[in-house]
Amino acid sequence: KLPFTLVAGNQGVTTPLSGSIRSGHHEYYSIEVPKGAKSFLVELRSNTAFQDYGGDVVLYARKDEMPVLCIREDDNFCRSQFDMTSDYSAYDPSIKNMFHSMNVNAFTVNTTDESISGNWIIGIYHGFDSNSDFQYEMIIIFEDHVMCQDPYCNGHGVCDKSVGKCSCDESHMGDQCEYTIHLLQPGTELMLQDSIAPGGNAFFVMPVNCTGQDFSLSFESATSLHHSYIVLKRGDLPLTGTSNDFDNIERADVPMALFNVDPGFFYGQLMVPMETPTPVEGLKVAWDVFPTATPNAENGCKYGSGTYYLIASGSNGPYQILDLGDLLEQNEIVMETTSGLLEWANNPQMELQLLIPPEMTEDGTIREADYGDCGATPFGCYLASIGKFTGAASVAISEVSSIQDPFFYVQNMLFKLPGNYEDQGEDIFSSLPLVYQYDGTDGGWDYEACSPLLNKDEMDGKVCIVARGSCTFYTKTKNCQDAGAIATIIVDATSPVTFDFPLASAPAGTDTSLITIPTLTIGTVMASKIMSMLSQGSSSYDGDVTLQAGLYMCESNPDQVCGTCSDYTFGENCTTHCPGLLGDFSDACSGHGTCSYNGESDPVCNCDRGFGGRTCALALDSSGSGGKMTAALVGTILASIFGIALLVVLACFFWSRGSKGKRTFFKMQDDTRQGAHEPGTPGASYADSRPSALSSLTTNGTPDSEYFSAMRMGSGSESGAGLGAGAGGGSGEIMLTTLPASTQDAGSTTKQPSST
């Protein structure tokens, strides 16, 4: 049981306690929080580095009963048996120690009662996977307002005591303003000077000012990024505990691209896992934003950039077409009716693929063969250079490459069905008319284009359709090109029903400069529909069907970066922001006011009643900022008068005591200086390495930089310490003495007067 010592008003603190917990064990402490307390803060510190003991440490609490902690991923199993836990991860690689804190108040325990008075049991758990004991120091503080976990907000913000959260400056975020945020500018690179240790993070913010934007984010480092990840979230810092806490995740050595994003601040977290062998050194971050490559109201694009499309159109419709896609589901031949226009599209970027209507993607994927540095000019055989092609469809016919077992073709299919058509009995393909039977001797033909085309005269200026098999993709394209074709479509006919095609490429050492026409690859589902339009129910493929294909590029005006500004961004390319803009751009003035912009001067906030500051983030009391200033001024004057009077009294006192009094005064100063300890050692003050919650005790809800000093002695570095004395034996009253906030050294600590 840990008793509180009252400090001032309804504020108290426990005596710093040292302890040790074996791995897999718990320790419990009981505290009695008095009436009127609105929060209490548990601080736990250890100078044991995370790597040295390797186990989790977590704080947890329950009111009036013994808390039970879930040592499992499924928190719901015993969620009702504790009111609150701290985070499991609290290792700080920058200072090589472990720090935990748990802030208990009406907000964190989700209660309607502002006061959290009563009996609380605090538990500390040390993970069973640790290899050593956990040595710690603990202190607990309660106050009559809602405390921030770090009362100084790490020096980068102001604690809002109405909710117990820090309002941070523009370059920091987090509940305690503990994260430094690096602002990335479009089209520029940022070089981080500091290394990132294993277990560390780096945070970035990227403002997207308007609608209709794509952006790319990439990292380079002098050391490997193979183990690191980049996590992204719009509107707030990503928290990587669950998939719901971030929008996107990618390996840091792979560029990240997002398309047609909503306006807002995008926050990125570079995570360097603990198992990373070396720190990340010389990190370079590149971010840029572009007019979107996806369809929207501003650009009127049909597809996203990089979309392959294929359109088949006939003038003799309607057509009965073979749909092999239904063959797998219904196990029977299915014919469908079409008016004579079929269109397919797909994009290798999943985000852009999802924007294409499903009916244009369900028949399979369109790809482009990789023929290296082809064409009369570099890459001259690709659609990226050619743009698109349009021509009549024609199915290639060539001699079989070698004598093989008998096979046959049925109507509208490029797959070689083995055996003899007459012997298939009640086979699923028996309902389709026979087109050609090969008997296994010389002189046969197929659709594979592994030799010069037999229908060369019919191929000039057309799109050559061939089946996969028996020879290289390069050979097929070359034979179609030699026959006068303007493009080649290779169909994956290795199975009766195919939707996709593996990457087609030329064999190593092939002179691909001879290829000057584009080559696409598709599956049999798509191909059979085209062949159905060509055959029109006959055994020949001489119908009039036009094929058009290309690589679609969604082009916008490069000078007009932005589409439409959000409600709170203005000017050219929407780069002028209202103050206090929320992370998702849903509101400005921190949600506590209205923004005014006249088109000339900077936007300004008109704050709601009870809020002030440039961004309306500062919560004011009921008297308003003017009342605060007046009260502060009066308090300062009164404190000054009292201080001068006190100095006069003390000067007279020491003058009357003579040299003995002087020696006593400086002896007490020396005792105060000698109270310092190394952080993490028994008796050390929490102010040794970090401002503690003890240092944040306040008067009347307002931060007091003097911290309840009972007396002030002189000024300057030699006489800046205050002196206090007990108010009498056994009275139970105590007065703390500390240095002023502006002069307190990081290594100093304040001694409490003895009870005598």
Side-chain angles (χ1 to χ4, degrees):
K1 187 170 184 178
L2 301 179
F4 283 105
T5 299
L6 292 180
V7 178
N10 201 0
Q11 301 160 334
V13 59
T14 62
T15 301
L17 173 78
S18 298
S20 176
I21 310 178
R22 289 186 294 160
S23 62
H25 285 68
H26 307 250
E27 283 196 2
Y28 297 93
Y29 296 92
S30 173
I31 59 173
E32 194 70 33
V33 181
K35 291 183 178 180
K38 292 187 178 179
S39 64
F40 68 85
L41 181 67
V42 184
E43 287 191 351
L44 192 70
R45 183 182 290 279
S46 172
N47 63 352
T48 307
F50 182 84
Q51 302 99 316
D52 293 340
Y53 69 87
D56 290 326
V57 174
V58 63
L59 289 160
Y60 54 107
R62 192 178 187 186
K63 187 176 181 181
D64 298 326
E65 295 183 61
M66 196 74 170
V68 178
L69 180 69
C70 296
I71 313 300
R72 58 194 297 169
E73 292 185 4
D74 184 8
D75 218 26
N76 295 324
F77 179 74
C78 62
R79 181 64 187 89
S80 62
Q81 299 184 60
F82 62 86
D83 291 325
M84 186 178 177
T85 67
S86 67
D87 293 333
Y88 279 79
S89 301
Y91 169 64
D92 185 347
S94 64
I95 57 176
K96 303 298 182 187
N97 67 11
M98 182 68 72
F99 174 79
H100 286 267
S101 63
M102 181 172 63
N103 191 354
V104 180
N105 55 63
F107 298 99
T108 56
V109 299
N110 194 25
T111 177
T112 56
D113 186 6
E114 286 190 3
S115 175
I116 43 95
S117 61
N119 179 255
W120 286 81
I121 297 179
I122 312 297
I124 308 173
Y125 169 66
H126 181 204
F128 62 83
D129 53 348
S130 173
N131 50 35
S132 66
D133 294 350
F134 177 61
Q135 310 287 337
Y136 67 90
E137 292 182 0
M138 183 173 70
I139 191 170
I140 306 175
I141 307 100
F142 77 82
E143 295 222 21
D144 56 3
H145 61 262
V146 183
M147 288 184 285
C148 293
Q149 285 189 313
D150 183 338
Y152 296 105
C153 302
N154 281 286
H156 303 298
V158 178
C159 178
D160 183 348
K161 296 178 181 178
S162 63
V163 294
K165 291 186 178 180
C166 290
S167 297
C168 307
D169 61 33
E170 294 181 353
S171 60
H172 291 82
M173 288 189 70
D175 289 342
Q176 306 170 58
C177 304
E178 66 270 37
Y179 302 123
T180 299
I181 310 297
H182 301 281
L183 175 64
L184 300 181
Q185 298 290 353
T188 61
E189 293 182 342
L190 174 69
M191 176 73 77
L192 294 191
Q193 302 300 322
D194 297 331
S195 62
I196 307 172
N201 300 273
F203 295 88
F204 310 91
V205 61
M206 296 149 279
V208 176
N209 299 317
C210 53
T211 61
Q213 303 294 289
D214 299 343
F215 76 68
S216 63
L217 178 65
S218 62
F219 295 86
E220 293 182 14
S221 173
T223 53
S224 174
L225 290 169
H226 178 70
H227 296 82
S228 302
Y229 288 86
I230 178 66
V231 186
L232 206 67
K233 187 174 183 179
R234 173 178 171 265
D236 200 357
L237 284 180
L239 301 174
T240 55
T242 70
S243 60
N244 295 326
D245 292 325
F246 55 86
D247 299 329
N248 306 85
I249 185 170
E250 185 60 83
R251 276 175 40 187
D253 56 355
V254 177
M256 177 182 283
L258 295 182
F259 302 93
N260 203 28
V261 297
D262 292 326
F265 292 110
F266 285 77
Y267 294 92
Q269 176 185 1
L270 179 68
M271 302 163 43
V272 182
M274 189 66 68
E275 62 270 18
T276 304
T278 59
V280 173
E281 305 277 359
L283 183 68
K284 184 167 64 175
V285 190
W287 175 69
D288 209 351
V289 63
F290 319 93
T292 186
T294 63
N296 65 16
E298 283 83 14
N299 57 36
C301 293
K302 184 176 183 179
Y303 309 113
S305 287
T307 298
Y308 287 98
Y309 65 91
L310 176 62
I311 303 172
S313 58
S315 56
N316 297 319
Y319 298 94
Q320 291 294 308
I321 59 172
L322 173 63
D323 191 346
L324 291 177
D326 292 336
L327 179 63
L328 297 177
E329 297 179 3
Q330 303 181 25
N331 200 32
E332 62 179 356
I333 298 298
V334 178
M335 304 297 291
E336 296 180 349
T337 302
T338 179
S339 62
L341 181 66
L342 299 174
E343 187 171 359
W344 303 278
N346 74 273
N347 194 297
Q349 289 277 2
M350 180 56 67
E351 295 90 343
L352 300 183
Q353 174 77 353
L354 295 174
L355 300 176
I356 302 173
E359 61 271 16
M360 300 175 73
T361 62
E362 61 187 7
D363 289 340
T365 304
I366 306 166
R367 301 184 190 272
E368 194 166 10
D370 181 7
Y371 287 159
D373 190 359
C374 59
T377 59
F379 311 108
C381 72
Y382 298 112
L383 290 175
S385 299
I386 297 172
K388 64 181 181 180
F389 63 79
T390 303
S394 182
V395 180
I397 299 175
S398 61
E399 291 185 0
V400 293
S401 57
S402 62
I403 296 177
Q404 49 197 277
D405 292 335
F407 66 84
F408 61 94
Y409 288 121
V410 293
Q411 189 182 70
N412 304 329
M413 290 186 63
L414 293 176
F415 177 68
K416 287 181 176 179
L417 292 162
N420 295 305
Y421 179 77
E422 295 178 352
D423 299 336
Q424 63 177 326
E426 297 299 323
D427 185 87
I428 191 172
F429 298 108
S430 61
S431 61
L432 294 175
L434 176 69
V435 173
Y436 173 70
Q437 174 72 60
Y438 171 68
D439 59 8
T441 62
D442 286 337
W445 59 266
D446 57 22
Y447 300 131
E448 293 176 350
C450 290
S451 60
L453 303 191
L454 299 177
N455 58 341
K456 179 178 180 179
D457 295 340
E458 303 172 6
M459 196 59 66
D460 188 43
K462 295 184 179 180
V463 179
C464 183
I465 300 175
V466 303
R468 179 186 182 187
S470 302
C471 61
T472 67
F473 304 118
Y474 170 86
T475 300
K476 299 174 187 295
T477 299
K478 186 65 166 60
N479 285 330
C480 286
Q481 179 179 298
D482 291 345
I486 62 170
T488 303
I489 296 179
I490 304 177
V491 181
D492 183 13
T494 55
S495 176
V497 181
T498 60
F499 292 89
D500 202 358
F501 198 112
L503 179 63
S505 60
T510 305
D511 184 6
T512 55
S513 65
L514 300 177
I515 299 297
T516 59
I517 64 173
T519 300
L520 300 182
T521 61
I522 62 174
T524 57
V525 175
M526 203 179 298
S528 291
K529 291 187 176 183
I530 296 173
M531 295 182 68
S532 298
M533 294 174 66
L534 283 170
S535 68
Q536 300 182 74
S538 69
S539 59
S540 61
Y541 301 112
D542 53 5
D544 183 13
V545 177
T546 299
L547 296 180
Q548 179 179 326
L551 182 65
Y552 189 89
M553 299 304 294
C554 178
E555 297 181 353
S556 302
N557 181 356
D559 297 326
Q560 182 63 34
V561 176
C562 272
T564 302
C565 294
S566 72
D567 292 340
Y568 306 102
T569 59
F570 314 96
E572 184 178 1
N573 291 326
C574 313
T575 54
T576 301
H577 294 182
C578 283
L581 197 58
L582 299 189
D584 59 359
F585 284 23
S586 61
D587 204 349
C589 304
S590 306
H592 303 307
T594 56
C595 178
S596 300
Y597 179 61
N598 58 15
E600 297 178 358
S601 57
D602 292 336
V604 295
C605 283
N606 303 304
C607 301
D608 296 337
R609 184 178 180 86
F611 295 91
R614 188 179 73 89
T615 63
C616 302
L618 182 62
L620 306 177
D621 60 20
S622 58
S623 62
S625 59
K628 279 195 169 185
M629 293 178 63
T630 302
L633 181 60
V634 172
T636 301
I637 294 173
L638 292 176
S640 300
I641 295 172
F642 175 77
I644 293 171
L646 187 59
L647 285 173
V648 172
V649 172
L650 288 173
C652 293
F653 172 75
F654 284 119
W655 176 79
S656 67
R657 294 288 300 271
S659 60
K660 181 180 177 180
K662 294 179 181 178
R663 285 196 298 272
T664 303
F665 169 67
F666 289 111
K667 176 66 168 60
M668 296 182 73
Q669 281 194 318
D670 291 340
D671 288 345
T672 302
R673 294 192 192 98
Q674 293 167 8
H677 300 271
E678 290 297 321
T681 60
S685 166
Y686 275 63
D688 291 342
S689 58
R690 174 181 179 275
S692 77
L694 175 59
S695 303
S696 73
L697 297 176
T698 61
T699 303
N700 298 325
T702 304
D704 180 5
S705 63
E706 302 299 319
Y707 310 150
F708 314 114
S709 295
M711 307 180 179
R712 287 286 165 202
M713 299 298 299
S715 62
S717 61
E718 278 299 310
S719 58
L723 289 178
S731 69
E733 295 181 346
I734 190 168
M735 298 182 182
L736 290 183
T737 64
T738 75
L739 294 170
S742 60
T743 60
Q744 185 174 5
D745 294 330
S748 70
T749 188
T750 301
K751 300 193 68 166
Q752 276 183 205
S754 67
S755 60
T756 58

